[in-house]
Structure formats: structure tokens, C-alpha cells
Amino acid sequence: MAAMDVDRPAALEAQCKAHPELSELQDQLAKYFSTKLYHQLTKTLLAYLASPPFKQASVAGELVEFFDGFIKPLESKLDKVKFVQILGIICKVQEPAKALEIIAPFEESAAKHRDSKFLWQALRSDKLVLKGDMDAAKELLDGLRKEIADAYEVDALIQSEFHKTHASLWKALGRPQDFYKSSILYLSFTPTASIPEEERPRLAFEVGCAALIAQEEFNFGELLQQEVMTTLAGSEYEWIQDLLHAFGEGKFDMFDAACAKHRAKLDATPELKQAENTVLRPKMCALALMELAFHKPKKQRRLTFSEIADHCRVGPKEVEFLVMKAMCANLIRGQIDEVEGLVMVTWVKPRILDTRRIDMMRERMDQWAVQTGLLLEHLEEMTPELLDRVLSHPAVRGSTWRLRDNPPDRAIRTQFGAR
């Protein structure tokens, strides 16, 4: 039977009249509905609802009619998680109150399956955030977080939606540190291709801003390696890349150049403008200190106060405070000698290495290998003389051990109690 000859439900027929440009997908929906191939029908539904016409708020009522007339009667036939996923697409263009009204009747049926329950709770939390009911959203998300943590092999889709909703909550509450952490987790569970193309640059910009103004965030390498950050190129948010790379490198010259070049954009972004002197510059000082210590050979990490002041753009009296702050943030470890005006750095917080830093580490490994080889040669040269001195020791000469039965290395180990 040809797809065009299949009887279509009224709701699907209405879609055919409203969107003739989607006739191919509509024919497939009719075919799979008629033949009861519900797996294929689910996949086609997801593809159909992802079409451009359904991304506008103007189709909100039309989507509800299509859902009520065609999708909702199939609830028992479709995969539980996929059904909630479809429910989320229908609700995306609805007003929050209307979305909550649509979601509510499916709480009991979703609760019968673990993952569909998790996804339904994440969906409800998202709409509560959009409605402005932060307390209810936070309570629901806190409970969901514990359930997901205790569960085994939770689907990546659920993890993605949970962290996305959590990020939206922190954004609404004005908590950039938590927003950044949740966003990074969201991106780790979400293929970039599944994020609507038109949303990617804005998402990358918001996450980048959060990383910059979050007082406790110093690891920019992880952010810069995210695939979504490449979508900033060619967008209206491209300028923030210069700032992010400056922080990733820990170089004040790059930071000052980026601020000067993009001054108008910086001033037009309230969260960055307000944080420029209170967060951005102090954070750059700390990152510059880390970079200074990292470039020093491990045995030569003795930094003078004047060296730190020049490199980190701080006054001589501010050096000690900067170092203490970096130590409190666990960026470096070491000792401060106020009398000599020195900082002995014993440890620098690990960072994600770019190509340049990897080359630096390779050079250090090569130097270490050379030094180790020289030490080995020196020990080999000293071995005969060392062995003669040991064998001439009175304790060894007076021993009844016979070298024929006990080779020198074994005799020495036994004589002096080594194991």
C-alpha cells in the first residue's frame, strides 16, 4: 500500500494541510502508524518535531492539538523515555504555566519507569524555573540529583537534561560558579550536534562569561577544549574568545590587549563590566603567578617579590597577599620568606596542557633523561672502586663467607642486613 493511500488520523491530516513542505515525513508517520511500527514511528516523530516550523512560539497551540489528537493516544505504545522527550519538545514553545499543565497528567505513568521518571522530573523542574518558582525547582532537582547519583547506568539523555535544567536554575539565581559547573557537565553529556545550531554561540558566550566571573574558577583549559566554543567564531560573541584565551594562557599582555580591543563590548556586558576590577583582574594576577611558577624548573622555583610584582602587575606590598590568596585557592603550594623577600614554590596546580605546554614538558623530560644517563654512567664508573672498599672493610675480611658460594652483591647485602 502506498504511503499516500494510508488512512490518516484527523490530527495528522491537519498537519499535512498546515505544513505541505513536510509531506515526506508526514507520509512516513502515516505509514508507520498504519503498520504499527512504533519504534520507527517514534524516530520519525522526533525528526518531524525537530523541523524548523515547530521552533516558533506561534505554533504552540497547533502543537498541543497535534499532541492531543495523534501522540497522546499512542502513549502506551511508545518507549517511555522517548514519549517524555516528545512531551518536552511540545512544551518547549509553550508558556511555562501551560507547559506545567500539559506535563502534570503524565506524572503517574512516567513514574513506572526509572529513566522516564527522571526525565519527567527534569522537564517539570525546567518549567518551574521558567515560571519563577525557584524553591520548588530546587527541591525537585536536589531530590533528582540524589536519585541519579544512586542509580546505575543512567542514560546520557537524562544526565544532559538534568544538568541543563540545573544550569538554568543557577543562572536564574545569579550563581555563576554553579552555573559554570553544571554547564560543563551538561556539555560533557551532550553531543554538540544535538544542540540547536542557533543556540550554540549564545550558550558558549554565557558559559564563557560564567567562567570569567566565577571567583573560584581557574581551569580555563577544560572550557576552551569544548567543541561548542568553536561556534563563537563568526558570531556576535566572537570577541570573548580573546579574553578566554588570555585567561587560559595566564598572560597579562593578552588580557590588557583584549580589554583594550573589545572595550565597547566589555562595557556593554554588565556582568563583565562590574567584575573587571573586583574579579577579572585579581584572577588574572593569580593565573599569571601560576604561569610564572610553572615555567620555572622544579628545583629553581624561588620567586622574588619583585619578580612576582612585575609579572603579575601588583604593587610590592600586594605580593604577599597575592601569594597567600593563591595558596588558599590551592593554586600553588610553598613557603614565603618575608625576610629575604622570596617565595619557594613546591607545587603548581595541574592544568590541561595545550601544545605549547606539552612541548615544554617534553623538553624537561628530555633534560631529565640526559641527567639520569650521566648519573648512571658515573655510578658505573664508581662501582669497582666502591666494591673494593666494601670488601676491604674489616667486618668483611674477618667473615667466613666464601665469595665462591656467595657472590659479592649477595655477600654485602647479607653482611649488612639489607634485604
Side-chain angles (χ1 to χ4, degrees):
M1 182 181 294
M4 293 301 293
D5 297 330
V6 174
D7 290 335
R8 303 167 187 245
L12 182 55
E13 191 63 39
Q15 284 292 302
C16 295
K17 294 177 180 178
H19 303 287
E21 72 278 10
L22 300 177
S23 59
E24 184 176 348
L25 286 171
Q26 291 160 355
D27 289 344
Q28 291 179 17
L29 288 173
K31 174 184 175 182
Y32 296 139
F33 175 79
S34 176
T35 54
K36 299 182 180 180
L37 297 174
Y38 296 116
H39 175 69
Q40 291 85 341
L41 178 62
T42 303
K43 293 177 64 176
T44 309
L45 268 173
L46 289 169
Y48 183 71
L49 293 172
S51 303
F54 303 117
K55 296 180 180 180
Q56 307 298 323
S58 58
V59 300
E62 176 190 330
L63 279 175
V64 172
E65 292 177 2
F66 180 53
F67 176 76
D68 288 340
F70 184 72
I71 303 174
K72 185 177 178 180
L74 297 172
E75 180 187 3
S76 63
K77 308 293 184 182
L78 305 183
D79 177 85
K80 301 301 181 185
V81 173
K82 297 296 183 184
F83 180 80
V84 179
Q85 187 180 359
I86 292 170
L87 186 62
I89 298 173
I90 300 297
C91 292
K92 187 172 184 179
V93 295
Q94 311 294 329
E95 291 295 324
K98 178 64 176 178
L100 287 168
E101 181 184 324
I102 297 171
I103 293 167
F106 301 99
E107 179 177 7
E108 185 177 347
S109 59
K112 295 177 181 179
H113 184 276
R114 187 198 71 179
D115 285 358
S116 65
K117 173 189 172 184
F118 290 168
L119 190 57
W120 184 91
Q121 290 178 332
L123 177 59
R124 175 172 167 77
S125 300
D126 180 55
K127 302 312 171 187
L128 287 171
V129 171
L130 293 175
K131 187 183 177 184
D133 194 348
M134 304 304 170
D135 291 338
K138 189 175 185 305
E139 182 180 357
L140 187 55
L141 285 171
D142 286 346
L144 180 56
R145 175 177 55 80
K146 294 176 182 177
E147 289 189 74
I148 290 178
D150 294 339
Y152 181 69
E153 291 187 349
V154 177
D155 190 272
L157 172 65
I158 284 83
Q159 296 274 15
S160 172
E161 290 299 321
F162 167 72
H163 291 298
K164 179 183 178 181
T165 303
H166 225 163
S168 68
L169 173 66
W170 300 133
K171 178 184 174 183
L173 293 175
R175 293 168 59 170
Q177 183 75 47
D178 293 319
F179 170 73
Y180 175 74
K181 289 181 178 179
S182 292
S183 296
I184 289 295
L185 288 169
Y186 163 64
L187 293 173
S188 68
F189 285 105
T190 311
T192 302
S194 67
I195 302 173
E197 187 174 355
E198 65 278 6
E199 297 178 9
R200 296 172 197 170
R202 178 66 188 178
L203 173 62
F205 175 75
E206 290 179 350
V207 177
C209 280
L212 290 170
I213 65 177
Q215 296 189 12
E216 299 176 7
E217 187 54 52
F218 295 91
N219 186 7
F220 287 83
E222 183 178 13
L223 173 62
L224 292 170
Q225 288 189 344
Q226 297 292 329
E227 184 181 354
V228 74
M229 301 306 292
T230 62
T231 63
L232 288 169
S235 73
E236 60 180 304
Y237 308 110
E238 184 176 15
W239 61 273
I240 201 173
Q241 285 184 312
D242 291 339
L243 269 178
L244 292 173
H245 283 294
F247 278 82
E249 294 290 334
K251 293 184 177 179
F252 246 111
D253 290 341
M254 293 177 65
F255 173 71
D256 289 339
C259 289
K261 181 179 179 181
H262 305 295
R263 173 51 57 186
K265 295 282 189 181
L266 196 60
D267 290 344
T269 309
E271 56 266 39
L272 293 180
K273 180 176 174 60
Q274 294 171 7
E276 183 175 356
N277 293 321
T278 58
V279 179
L280 299 188
R281 188 163 289 275
K283 182 185 286 191
M284 177 53 68
C285 291
L287 288 169
L289 176 60
M290 284 181 65
E291 193 68 10
L292 176 63
F294 177 80
H295 277 79
K296 294 281 187 179
K298 189 172 183 180
K299 294 182 179 180
Q300 300 177 23
R301 287 179 176 168
R302 294 167 58 88
L303 311 178
T304 65
F305 278 22
S306 60
E307 183 181 14
I308 295 173
D310 291 341
H311 189 81
C312 300
R313 311 283 179 88
V314 296
K317 295 182 179 180
E318 298 173 334
V319 170
E320 188 174 354
F321 177 73
L322 170 62
V323 175
M324 291 174 64
K325 189 174 180 180
M327 288 181 176
C328 289
N330 203 33
L331 302 180
I332 61 172
R333 295 175 190 163
Q335 296 177 335
I336 302 175
D337 188 336
E338 297 180 73
V339 177
E340 297 294 334
L342 290 174
V343 177
M344 283 72 74
V345 180
T346 57
W347 178 84
V348 180
K349 184 177 181 179
R351 301 167 69 184
I352 292 179
L353 303 180
D354 55 16
T355 305
R356 181 178 61 82
R357 291 189 178 91
I358 291 175
D359 287 340
M360 183 187 304
M361 294 296 292
R362 179 183 56 78
E363 292 175 2
R364 291 184 182 178
M365 291 291 289
D366 290 343
Q367 293 174 3
W368 175 81
V370 171
Q371 293 174 356
T372 303
L374 293 174
L375 177 61
L376 178 61
E377 292 176 4
H378 181 63
L379 289 173
E380 289 176 345
E381 292 174 358
M382 291 181 60
T383 299
E385 180 182 352
L386 180 62
L387 184 60
D388 288 341
R389 289 184 179 182
V390 171
L391 294 177
S392 64
H393 193 277
V396 176
R397 287 202 309 270
S399 172
T400 57
W401 289 69
R402 297 173 60 185
L403 292 181
R404 183 181 61 188
D405 300 326
N406 297 279
D409 61 334
R410 178 180 168 191
I412 294 169
R413 289 197 305 271
T414 306
Q415 187 73 21
F416 292 100
R419 296 182 182 277

